[in-house]
Amino acid sequence: MIPLGKAWLMFRSLPKTLRFNLTYLPLAQALWLPVLVCHRVHFDCLRGTVRVPPACRTGMIRLGFGEVGLFDRERLRSVWRVEGEVVFQGSASLGHGTKLSVDSGAVLTFGDRFVITAESAISCRKAITFGEDVLVSWDVQVMDSDWHSVINEDGAVLNPDSEVYVGDHVWIGSRVLLMKGARIAKDSIVAAGSVVTDGTYDANVILAGVPARPIRHGVTWKA
């Protein structure tokens, strides 16, 4: 039997769940309600496109749910601001307080079994890709742009947008800042509070510091 509190939460979330699925998905997919949307999610911009696997199932993607005891999930809202494309390649859980901003022409991709625990933000103006089994902790910020152009005396832009890539089975610790151009290989860990800047990093490493550097090789992790 479903606990009364969870049943009430699902009931309150039904209007936004229906709106989201019917807005973005073909009717044959939308009727399965593959995306469950918490009532605490704010639709700042409900445009662009969303793609889910053809063989979808009810609730395989969850937006704005979850419980992390450090945060007041009753008052902190998630934000969905999408004008570009969001691709879900499998199941995903974007916990309460997650903020997504995807500009027109940009593509944000989530691999299978993707998880954000809570209160993190992803800002995509070009392309951000997460592999399978990626775990993102709270207060993480990921962005592929500086948002303001730096221009030299000849009028050339010195800081163009640059894709962010996170490989399979990567754990990103709390309060990490993942900057444009960063490419993190599989089976890696980004230590809490690190700032990962433009560059390609090896697999099976721990990245730590400001800016982040490999501090240990030959590691992996498990939940």
Side-chain angles (χ1 to χ4, degrees), residues 83-114:
E83 296 181 274
E85 182 176 9
V86 179
V87 180
F88 293 99
Q89 296 179 330
S91 65
S93 175
L94 281 63
H96 68 84
T98 298
K99 286 96 175 163
L100 298 185
S101 176
V102 184
D103 282 9
S104 177
V107 181
L108 173 59
T109 303
F110 297 107
D112 194 16
R113 298 177 299 278
F114 175 85

Side-chain angles (χ1 to χ4, degrees), residues 116-135:
I116 290 178
T117 59
E119 291 301 312
S120 290
I122 301 173
S123 175
C124 182
R125 301 190 76 176
K126 184 175 183 179
I128 297 175
T129 302
F130 296 95
E132 297 181 355
D133 294 307
V134 172
L135 173 61

Side-chain angles (χ1 to χ4, degrees), residues 192-205:
S194 299
V195 177
V196 186
T197 56
D198 181 21
T200 299
Y201 302 89
D202 294 336
N204 300 97
V205 300

